[in-house]
Amino acid sequence: MNGCTNMNLKNKDFLKIIDYSSQEINYLIDLAIEYKNKKNKRIPHREFEEYNVALIFEKSSTRTRCSFEVAAHDLGMGSTYIDSHNSHLGLKESIEDTAKVLAGIYDGICYRGFGQEIIEEIAKHATVPVWNGLTDQAHPTQILADLMTMKEKFGRLQGLKIVYLGDARFNIGNSLLVGAAKMGMDFTVAAPKDFFQKQQLIKKCKKIAEQTGAKISFEENVKKAVIDADVLYTDVWVSMGEPEELWTPRIEQLAHCQVNQELINLADPDAIFMHCLPAFHDLKTATAREINLKIGIQEMEVTDQVFRSKQSLVFKQAENRMHTIKAIMAATINKY
Ligand code: CP
Ligand code: NVA
């Protein structure tokens, strides 16, 4: 189906972006673009009738869960949503046994949860492909959608200047760094140095960058970092699973990393704003109102003005989650 016909990803897990080559990432992006065109023209692509996938979610989700369910449905597959309250996972049944059971029933497994070691354990014992729907350390399906969105906008990835603002040590910051290194991008983290990724990951990415021509830099001066940027990317300041008490110190530490009009004005005139979502840009959520009562701020990692501006591609990103997840499932499920 895709131009790159001899790309064989059958039965390959999708646990971290680093496990995929630049060619494989490009292949998946192009496959997702093909599926998007089909979907938009309502051309049926039920290529996996009689196949089924299991979706294990130990953390909340809107985009990822819906994307897996709709993508599975479009491909003709059945899907089962499993959450930690209504399954035995980890309580009465080990990860190993659960993985073996599900692999006997399903043709692929998505897992969203806490430590990366949990999904690695599932993958070790499952004989079907396992896809990472988010862990504390990685969010590879998100980054594939982000790369697709950038490619659609700019027609290329190589050499694009992308600046990530905020806490870069969690899933999005980690996976974006790897994705940018793999695709030869010019990637800068703009944050206080305590929020930079771990040295071990940075070292690995710098090695990848030697091969791909990527540039990787770290800058505490946020205004300097965003000059001429093509993409300004941010994420929440406290991630799922982190203690609530972190909100107050994080807001103090990261307030100057907020993506606002002043920062956008320093970037390239055609620059775009990206965010994996959900975002705290107004007071229309219970969490934002609670923080507002306590600390008094109305917007956090991005202002409402930037979030709603023409430069903001956040909803395109969200839509592309479905097309890219469809590409990942279609490329990796072993079709007999
Ligand atoms: N971006 C993302 O993963 O969103 P959800 O948490 O809604 O799945
Ligand atoms: N870093 C965020 C990403 C949400 C998609 C979190 O883990 O909550």
Side-chain angles (χ1 to χ4, degrees):
M1 177 185 178
N2 189 274
C4 204
T5 45
N6 52 7
M7 187 69 65
N8 184 4
L9 300 176
K10 293 299 170 204
N11 235 2
K12 187 172 162 81
D13 298 315
F14 193 78
L15 306 181
K16 319 185 275 311
I17 283 281
I18 209 156
D19 302 334
Y20 276 62
S21 68
S22 315
Q23 290 79 7
E24 288 169 340
I25 294 169
N26 256 324
Y27 167 77
L28 289 173
I29 293 171
D30 290 345
L31 186 57
I33 292 171
E34 284 185 36
Y35 276 127
K36 184 171 181 173
N37 288 334
K38 284 193 173 177
K39 175 89 178 175
N40 288 343
K41 292 181 188 148
R42 300 286 154 185
I43 298 171
H45 41 283
R46 299 176 63 82
E47 300 151 14
F48 289 84
E49 279 182 349
E50 312 308 328
Y51 287 74
N52 292 283
V53 291
L55 313 175
I56 309 169
F57 279 71
E58 298 201 282
K59 285 180 179 170
S60 322
S61 170
T62 300
R63 278 145 290 270
T64 311
R65 175 187 177 175
C66 297
S67 295
F68 269 100
E69 290 194 0
V70 171
H73 184 266
D74 285 354
L75 289 170
M77 295 194 280
S79 64
T80 307
Y81 177 77
I82 303 161
D83 69 28
S84 41
H85 309 295
N86 296 308
S87 71
H88 300 299
L89 180 69
L91 293 172
K92 283 168 72 183
E93 195 156 38
S94 68
I95 292 161
E96 175 178 345
D97 293 356
T98 307
K100 288 177 178 170
V101 168
L102 294 179
I105 300 173
Y106 294 93
D107 302 289
I109 301 168
C110 161
Y111 172 81
R112 164 172 287 203
F114 297 86
Q116 183 71 15
E117 68 284 356
I118 303 171
I119 193 166
E120 302 277 349
E121 171 90 356
I122 295 173
K124 188 172 149 198
H125 298 290
T127 48
V128 297
V130 175
W131 311 297
N132 186 345
L134 177 146
T135 58
D136 291 347
Q137 292 81 4
H139 199 2
T141 65
Q142 175 70 51
I143 274 33
L144 197 67
D146 300 339
L147 293 172
M148 173 182 172
T149 311
M150 291 182 229
K151 192 170 177 181
E152 283 180 324
K153 164 75 187 168
F154 297 103
R156 68 186 166 100
L157 294 173
Q158 184 83 31
L160 281 185
K161 180 171 178 181
I162 165 163
V163 179
Y164 178 89
L165 301 104
D167 184 0
R169 306 162 305 173
F170 226 74
N171 38 34
I172 298 290
N174 288 341
S175 295
L176 201 58
L177 166 63
V178 180
K182 290 260 177 185
M183 305 319 285
M185 302 170 89
D186 177 346
F187 183 80
T188 303
V189 174
K193 64 175 179 304
D194 290 348
F195 291 88
F196 296 167
Q197 291 89 342
K198 282 195 178 131
Q199 270 312 317
Q200 203 190 6
L201 183 67
I202 295 171
K203 248 171 114 176
K204 277 188 197 167
C205 289
K206 286 199 167 161
K207 210 154 180 78
I208 296 169
E210 285 171 19
Q211 305 296 317
T212 62
K215 288 188 203 147
I216 296 168
S217 48
F218 298 86
E219 178 57 67
E220 291 197 87
N221 182 334
V222 169
K223 287 186 185 160
K224 193 171 155 203
V226 300
I227 290 172
D228 294 333
D230 297 302
V231 181
L232 269 60
Y233 196 122
T234 191
D235 182 17
V236 289
W237 289 340
V238 176
S239 286
M240 286 184 277
E242 292 197 292
E244 292 292 303
E245 306 83 78
L246 283 179
W247 277 113
T248 307
R250 286 280 165 84
I251 287 165
E252 273 170 31
Q253 291 160 311
L254 296 174
H256 66 290
C257 297
Q258 181 191 65
V259 182
N260 52 35
Q261 199 54 47
E262 192 193 348
L263 285 193
I264 292 277
N265 290 344
L266 294 169
D268 187 89
D270 291 326
I272 57 168
F273 168 71
M274 298 182 82
H275 192 309
C276 55
L277 304 183
F280 289 112
H281 58 96
D282 58 21
L283 294 180
K284 293 181 183 166
T285 65
T287 306
R289 283 192 293 272
E290 227 173 85
I291 291 167
N292 173 258
L293 276 178
K294 214 167 142 193
I295 306 172
I297 60 167
Q298 307 216 351
E299 302 157 318
M300 280 190 260
E301 71 273 12
V302 57
T303 60
D304 200 43
Q305 182 188 16
V306 169
F307 186 86
R308 293 178 190 280
S309 70
K310 278 206 184 99
Q311 284 166 284
S312 170
L313 294 196
V314 296
F315 296 113
K316 245 188 201 358
Q317 266 176 280
E319 180 200 322
N320 285 342
R321 297 296 310 285
M322 198 281 284
H323 306 299
T324 40
I325 282 171
K326 190 182 285 177
I328 294 163
M329 290 198 291
T332 57
I333 288 180
N334 206 0
K335 207 171 165 188
Y336 298 100

